[in-house]
């Protein structure tokens, strides 16, 4: 017999539902009876206050996008994390990180990324995620003989959550990046450290 697949449950909504359930019953300790949905007595905690409590807010509706780890043994990928200064708010951290990314030179630096870059995804202020597509000049012998004379394209991904920006810079082609990803990350790290961030 055909057995239909089990329905997929979004883990974020599952956790939020559980948090609401726990918060509603916790409200009974303050004079509100959740089973009867009766109005709170004088001096008790309202349902609105309970639903806006830290317990509920700890489970946001929108989950941050994740950055995958580099493949094991990969020679064309660099990963790590930058940490925002202590006390910096989330909105400030995303704005600070974006300002450093925006300042990455379109003409490249240290002999790499001379083909410019663009945001493929930019939602640091929302989901805390961004992905940059960075290109080589396409003029070198490696591009000529290994990539048909076309620029090599790398991806720099960043995921910011709770003041920690995890990153991965990876080449799309080739087994080795000849240090390109490392130079890119080092440049961005210098800019972030000038703003008080810690990292590689």
């Amino acid at each position: 017999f055909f057995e239909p697949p089990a329905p997929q449950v979004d883990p974020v909504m599952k956790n939020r539902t559980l948090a609401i359930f726990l918060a509603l019953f916790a409200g009974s300790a303050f004079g509100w009876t959740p089973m009867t949905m009766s109005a709170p007595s004088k001096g008790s905690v309202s349902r609105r206050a309970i639903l806006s409590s830290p317990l509920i807010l700890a489970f946001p509706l929108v989950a941050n996008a994740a950055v995958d780890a580099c493949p094991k043994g990969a020679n064309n990928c660099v990963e790590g994390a930058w940490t925002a200064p202590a006390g910096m708010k989330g909105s400030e951290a995303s704005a600070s990180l974006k300002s450093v990314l925006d300042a990455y030179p379109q003409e490249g630096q240290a002999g790499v990324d001379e083909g410019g870059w663009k945001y493929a995804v930019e939602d640091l202020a929302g989901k805390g995620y961004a992905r940059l597509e960075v290109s080589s000049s396409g003029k070198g012998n490696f591009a000529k003989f290994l990539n048909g004379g076309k620029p090599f394209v790398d991806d720099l991904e960043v995921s910011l959550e709770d003041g920690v920006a995890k990153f991965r810079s990876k080449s799309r082609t080739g087994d080795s990046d000849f240090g390109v990803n490392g130079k890119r990350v080092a440049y961005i790290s210098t800019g972030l450290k000038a703003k008080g961030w810690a990292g590689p």
Side-chain angles (χ1 to χ4, degrees):
F1 295 97
F2 172 75
E3 183 177 347
Q8 299 296 315
V9 179
D10 180 64
V12 175
M13 291 303 299
K14 180 180 179 180
N15 288 339
R16 189 175 176 84
T17 301
L18 176 61
I20 292 174
F21 177 81
L22 293 174
L24 291 178
F25 276 86
S28 62
F30 298 97
W32 177 54
T33 306
M35 294 300 294
T36 61
M37 295 299 180
S38 60
S41 59
K42 184 177 180 180
S44 65
V45 179
S46 67
R47 281 173 288 179
R48 175 174 295 184
I50 292 175
L51 294 176
S52 62
S53 68
L55 179 62
I56 300 300
L57 297 179
F59 298 91
L61 285 173
V62 180
N64 283 27
V67 172
D68 293 333
C70 289
K72 186 177 181 179
N75 297 313
N76 63 350
C77 185
V78 175
E79 63 183 334
W82 298 297
T83 304
M88 180 177 279
K89 297 179 180 179
S91 58
E92 296 173 339
S94 61
S96 176
L97 175 58
K98 185 176 184 301
S99 69
V100 173
L101 296 177
D102 288 347
Y104 194 77
Q106 287 289 346
E107 66 276 12
Q109 49 83 32
V112 303
D113 300 338
E114 296 176 345
W117 63 275
K118 65 179 181 180
Y119 282 111
V121 180
E122 197 291 287
D123 193 17
L124 288 171
K127 292 186 178 181
Y129 177 80
R131 180 169 66 85
L132 284 66
E133 294 181 349
V134 192
S135 301
S136 69
S137 65
K139 298 177 181 179
N141 287 330
F142 288 115
K144 180 179 180 180
F145 294 110
L146 300 178
N147 205 39
K150 299 178 182 179
F152 289 103
V153 179
D154 298 348
D155 294 290
L156 171 62
E157 293 182 276
V158 182
S159 178
L160 176 64
E161 186 170 12
D162 296 331
V164 177
K166 296 181 179 180
F167 67 82
R168 185 183 79 160
S169 185
K170 184 179 184 300
S171 302
R172 293 184 182 179
T173 58
D175 178 65
S176 175
D177 63 0
F178 301 98
V180 170
N181 287 291
K183 291 181 179 180
R184 180 181 306 128
V185 168
Y187 186 95
I188 296 172
S189 291
T190 299
L192 286 172
K193 288 178 180 177
K195 292 179 176 291
W197 290 63

